[in-house]
Amino acid sequence: MPTTEKHILNRLYVIAGLIFVFAVAVVVKLVSIQTVDGDKYRELASERTVKNFTIEPNRGNLYSDDGSLLATSVAKYDIRFDALAPNSENFEKHIKPLSDSMSVMFGKSSSYYQNLFRKARATKNRYMLLSRNLGYTDYIRVKSFPLFNLGPYKGGIIVEQETKREYPLGKIAKRSIGYDRLSNPVGLEGAFNQYLEGKEGHRLKQKIAKGQWKPITDYNEVEPQDGYDVVSTIDVNIQDIAHHALLAQLEKYKADHGCVVVMDVESGEVKAISNLGRTENGKYYEKLNYAVGESHEPGSTFKLMSVIAALEDKVVDTNYVVDTEKGILTFYNRYKVRDSKWGGYGKISLSEAFERSSNTGIVKVIDKFYGDDPKRFVNRLYNMRLNEPLGLAIKGEGEPFIPHPNDKERWSGIALPWMAYGYGVQMTPLQILTFYNAIANNGVMVKPRLIKEVKEWNRTVMKFDKEVINSSICSQETIDKVKALLKNVVEKDHGTGHKLYSPNFSMAGKTGTAQKNYAAKDRQKLQYISSFAGFFPADSPKYSCIVVIHEPDKSVGIYGADVSGPVFKRVAQKIYTDSPVIDTVKDLEKPNPSVEEKYRAYYSKVQNHSNIIPDVEGMSGMDAVSILENLGVKVKVVGNGKVRKQSVKSGSKINKGQTIVLQLS
């Protein structure tokens, strides 16, 4: 028995010794953590419980040219409650009036909010959500409620601010205005993001129960700096006109997509840019920026470039006669160029070939005079900068493509004739419009511009002026000739755009109808691109415009004059109606005898009657009232027009406060 007890005691001593050694090890480790690794673990603990959160700045506003908002940042506020922050006295004193205020504002009963607050206090909820996405006015109102007006430490209110981007125009120009997506901002939002975005701020938050983060203080450690405001060149009225004109035509022709751009001729300011694509349910909205990013074969709108090259090289003049060969030209016994008119146009002048948009006429001229030296033709196009991108601020500009004879892989025997009428080349709508705008601007090619200035409140930070790409794309002589051709396309009976003619306002332009998917063996896949590019007024151009519509329903119509032309006309017509280009009225100072006589009669009555009732019969009601009231008489008017009868006879003495009734007819 003693031996057994001894063994037990030995075991106890061993266990006690191990416990002692373990305790010593724990103490040593704690001392080591506090002294040797203290900084490391304190930093780690801080990182896990306190975090520096980024505060996004308010993006600058994006304005139209007249100051209308296109995009703006709106502050939204989330209201939360720290149920343990108020002491018992303040909580009990203010919970009823606070609940009453919440009830009035948010519609739920006062008892609901009292139960909510008491439950939060009982469960020690330090981050209870009360409301989301409040506007500034509502946020200020909530902040003034009983208890909350004591602040975050005594009242427990927690306010979290977030900015959201809103677009007052809605879906109009949505793609062109763009989005402020962090990964890939597009449109004007993306192009001028460096000015709009501002600088981030920072705020410390502490991790609390359930993985939630609560602001440590009621202020920011680093205040965010708001972005600058950007004033664009977009005119909201013209944008609205362009959008709805394009939408109506897309719906009428059941087209796949289309775009329209309106540009100020002299400055290059883009006044409207609308891009609409069809969804699966047949509706249209701004899917992609086709005007900037979609390169395509321009078709007959490229004939302008071909004619200018020929005129500049003086190989022909506009009166040069070309035989359209019954409407068909054949190359290498295989490839055919056809006119839209069966049987062709016979022998016509170059000007008529352009106005009628004769494929065979234009191709035959270019092939005859450049067939042996295609480099001369292509170099002329290159000299006009047609092969170069515009270098727009907006991302995603499509690359223009014009093959060169030196490029053996892309050049072929039919490249020149096909190029003459707009096939085998690629340009975006905005690149085509820039060239047409240069014609309207007497040869000066200006870069399309979407921004006027960058502002900080009322202070201009940066101004953007006109940028000239090419000071002279061709001679003034050539400019004058092709301006006349473009005008005749609309005004002459045989011009492809003659249906667009209006005696009330003048336009000049070129229709275009290009085949799409023509290489496919399945003829059902053959589609068309309908275009119209030009400017208005024809003689003193103020605006240039291009309309491009892809894949209209072939059963409804395909030609540029029918599909795209009406959009151009609608835009021009509305701009003329809403913003007349004639600023002065002639002969405004020329005297009108009738008006002069009426004025003399009125002046005589005013001067000669001071204390007697004048004879106002036969006078206009407005003049009679003015005379009598200036004499201190109260006037009652019955009817409209001239004074037929007055209740007090002329010559009677005026009595103070007297009323006279005038019967008008």
Side-chain angles (χ1 to χ4, degrees):
M1 187 68 181
T3 302
T4 304
E5 290 179 355
K6 184 178 181 179
H7 283 302
I8 292 172
L9 287 173
N10 289 336
R11 289 175 182 174
L12 288 173
Y13 291 147
V14 171
I15 293 171
L18 291 174
I19 292 173
F20 176 76
V21 171
F22 178 75
V24 171
V26 170
V27 171
V28 171
K29 185 63 177 177
L30 287 174
V31 172
S32 174
I33 289 174
Q34 290 291 327
T35 58
V36 180
D37 299 323
D39 292 339
K40 171 186 174 183
Y41 286 108
R42 276 189 289 272
E43 183 179 352
L44 184 61
S46 177
E47 288 179 355
R48 292 185 176 181
T49 59
V50 178
K51 188 175 179 181
N52 199 354
F53 280 78
T54 297
I55 302 174
E56 294 296 331
N58 288 328
R59 283 179 70 82
N61 292 332
L62 183 61
Y63 293 100
S64 67
D65 64 347
D66 67 349
S68 300
L69 272 174
L70 299 179
T72 186
S73 290
V74 178
K76 297 294 183 181
Y77 300 87
D78 291 351
I79 306 297
R80 294 179 180 271
F81 179 57
D82 180 353
L84 298 185
N87 59 35
S88 298
E89 181 182 352
N90 284 333
F91 184 82
E92 293 299 334
K93 178 181 178 181
H94 295 295
I95 186 173
K96 178 65 167 64
L98 171 61
S99 298
D100 291 342
S101 299
M102 294 288 291
S103 175
V104 171
M105 182 168 181
F106 296 106
K108 295 182 179 179
S109 66
S110 177
S111 60
Y112 168 83
Y113 285 106
Q114 289 188 56
N115 292 333
L116 190 68
F117 289 130
R118 292 190 182 281
K119 182 179 179 181
R121 194 168 178 86
T123 58
K124 300 181 179 181
N125 190 337
R126 307 199 64 183
Y127 201 59
M128 181 179 70
L129 178 65
L130 292 177
S131 183
R132 285 190 184 276
N133 294 324
L134 291 183
Y136 180 77
T137 303
D138 289 337
Y139 151 65
I140 294 298
R141 181 180 172 186
V142 171
K143 198 176 178 182
S144 67
F145 286 172
L147 188 62
F148 287 170
N149 58 11
L150 300 179
Y153 301 113
K154 293 183 178 181
I157 184 173
I158 300 172
V159 179
E160 294 183 330
Q161 178 181 337
E162 182 184 8
T163 57
K164 294 187 176 181
R165 204 66 168 163
E166 294 190 356
Y167 302 91
L169 289 185
K171 294 182 179 180
I172 296 178
K174 187 175 182 180
R175 185 71 188 187
S176 301
I177 294 171
Y179 318 95
D180 65 331
R181 294 181 302 197
L182 295 177
S183 59
N184 184 30
V186 299
L188 294 174
E189 290 268 29
F192 308 114
N193 186 58
Q194 57 180 316
Y195 307 115
L196 292 164
E197 64 179 348
K199 294 183 180 180
E200 296 176 342
H202 296 281
R203 188 177 192 182
L204 287 175
K205 292 186 180 182
Q206 185 177 26
K207 193 173 186 179
I208 58 177
K210 299 180 181 180
Q212 297 174 325
W213 293 86
K214 172 189 171 184
I216 294 177
T217 62
D218 197 31
Y219 57 85
N220 301 322
E221 276 62 37
V222 177
E223 289 295 333
Q225 295 182 24
D226 292 346
Y228 293 128
D229 294 335
V230 171
V231 181
S232 75
T233 62
I234 298 296
D235 183 306
V236 291
N237 293 322
I238 297 178
Q239 180 69 47
D240 183 69
I241 293 167
H243 172 87
H244 287 97
L246 176 64
L247 177 61
Q249 205 70 353
L250 289 173
E251 291 176 339
K252 177 179 179 180
Y253 284 88
K254 305 174 186 176
D256 183 73
H257 65 274
C259 67
V260 54
V261 184
V262 181
M263 188 189 303
D264 182 90
V265 168
E266 184 179 0
S267 67
E269 293 183 356
V270 175
K271 294 301 177 184
I273 176 170
S274 182
N275 303 274
L276 295 173
R278 187 174 59 190
T279 62
E280 293 181 356
N281 60 6
K283 302 294 182 181
Y284 292 91
Y285 83 108
E286 296 242 350
K287 295 169 65 177
L288 297 170
N289 199 334
Y290 305 112
V292 172
E294 185 176 39
S295 295
H296 61 86
E297 291 179 310
S300 293
T301 54
F302 198 81
K303 290 173 182 174
L304 175 66
M305 294 72 159
S306 299
V307 169
I308 288 176
L311 293 176
E312 275 296 278
D313 288 335
K314 299 189 182 301
V315 296
V316 291
D317 201 351
T318 54
N319 58 6
Y320 175 82
V321 177
V322 58
D323 189 350
T324 60
E325 301 283 352
K326 297 183 179 181
I328 300 177
L329 291 180
T330 305
F331 292 86
Y332 302 103
N333 296 318
R334 178 181 177 184
Y335 302 103
K336 298 183 183 297
V337 176
R338 301 177 186 272
D339 278 332
S340 58
K341 181 184 178 183
W342 183 260
Y345 302 98
K347 292 183 179 181
I348 55 176
S349 67
L350 176 62
S351 61
E352 288 180 300
F354 182 84
E355 293 156 12
R356 295 173 183 266
S357 199
S358 169
N359 297 332
T360 58
I362 301 298
V363 169
K364 193 169 184 179
V365 168
I366 299 303
D367 186 61
K368 178 178 179 179
F369 292 102
Y370 293 100
D372 295 333
D373 188 12
K375 289 183 182 179
R376 185 184 180 192
F377 178 75
V378 178
N379 287 340
R380 174 63 69 180
L381 299 180
Y382 280 21
N383 288 339
M384 293 188 288
R385 308 282 291 271
L386 292 173
N387 62 316
E388 300 176 18
L390 299 171
L392 303 172
I394 287 185
K395 297 178 182 179
E397 181 185 1
E399 288 287 332
F401 170 70
I402 297 177
H404 196 280
N406 290 341
D407 186 352
K408 302 303 180 183
E409 293 184 3
R410 299 189 179 186
W411 190 262
S412 67
I414 61 169
L416 179 65
W418 257 239
M419 186 187 303
Y421 72 123
Y423 287 92
V425 297
Q426 299 275 335
M427 294 183 74
T428 68
L430 194 53
Q431 289 161 359
I432 297 170
L433 177 61
T434 300
F435 187 84
Y436 273 75
N437 190 82
I439 301 302
N441 200 26
N442 291 319
V444 181
M445 182 183 286
V446 292
K447 184 177 180 178
R449 185 157 53 92
L450 289 153
I451 182 174
K452 281 188 169 183
E453 59 182 332
V454 176
K455 303 185 74 173
E456 183 181 32
W457 296 97
N458 292 324
R459 180 177 70 89
T460 298
V461 176
M462 189 177 299
K463 209 167 182 65
F464 294 82
D465 297 318
K466 178 173 69 175
E467 185 176 340
V468 176
I469 299 175
N470 190 339
S471 59
S472 180
I473 61 170
C474 61
S475 67
Q476 187 62 47
E477 180 185 1
T478 298
I479 291 289
D480 293 339
K481 289 178 180 178
V482 295
K483 272 187 175 180
L485 296 182
L486 292 168
K487 186 177 180 181
N488 288 340
V489 167
V490 177
E491 294 190 357
K492 282 199 172 181
D493 290 339
H494 58 251
T496 53
H498 72 275
K499 293 180 182 178
L500 306 175
Y501 172 74
S502 171
N504 301 318
F505 55 91
S506 61
M507 301 176 292
K510 181 71 186 75
T511 58
T513 308
Q515 291 185 350
K516 186 177 180 181
N517 303 327
Y518 52 82
K521 293 182 180 180
D522 185 359
R523 301 300 293 175
Q524 293 299 319
K525 294 182 179 180
L526 178 66
Q527 296 290 345
Y528 293 86
I529 304 172
S530 303
S531 308
F532 193 96
F535 46 83
F536 55 92
D539 296 323
S540 300
K542 172 63 177 172
Y543 296 105
S544 60
C545 177
I546 188 169
V547 183
V548 180
I549 294 179
H550 284 249
E551 302 180 21
D553 188 329
K554 290 178 285 188
S555 65
V556 183
I558 60 171
Y559 292 109
D562 300 324
V563 181
S564 295
V567 179
F568 183 98
K569 181 179 180 180
R570 179 63 174 165
V571 169
Q573 184 179 30
K574 286 292 290 181
I575 291 177
Y576 268 92
T577 303
D578 297 343
S579 305
V581 294
I582 299 175
D583 298 323
T584 60
V585 180
K586 295 181 180 179
D587 300 329
L588 188 62
E589 302 298 326
K590 186 177 180 179
N592 186 310
S594 176
V595 173
E596 291 288 322
E597 179 62 31
K598 289 180 180 179
Y599 174 75
R600 284 194 292 270
Y602 172 84
Y603 185 78
S604 176
K605 289 183 184 295
V606 172
Q607 297 298 316
N608 296 332
H609 301 86
S610 58
N611 56 3
I612 62 171
I613 299 294
D615 181 8
V616 295
E617 291 185 5
M619 295 184 67
S620 69
M622 183 175 63
D623 288 345
V625 170
S626 176
I627 291 172
L628 293 170
E629 286 185 343
N630 282 321
L631 293 174
V633 177
K634 295 180 180 180
V635 182
K636 183 178 179 180
V637 177
V638 179
N640 296 291
K642 293 183 178 181
V643 179
R644 180 170 57 86
K645 186 178 180 180
Q646 60 188 82
S647 62
V648 180
K649 293 183 179 181
S650 60
S652 303
K653 188 176 180 179
I654 296 175
N655 297 320
K656 189 175 181 179
Q658 185 177 12
T659 299
I660 183 172
V661 179
L662 302 180
Q663 294 185 359
L664 310 183
S665 59

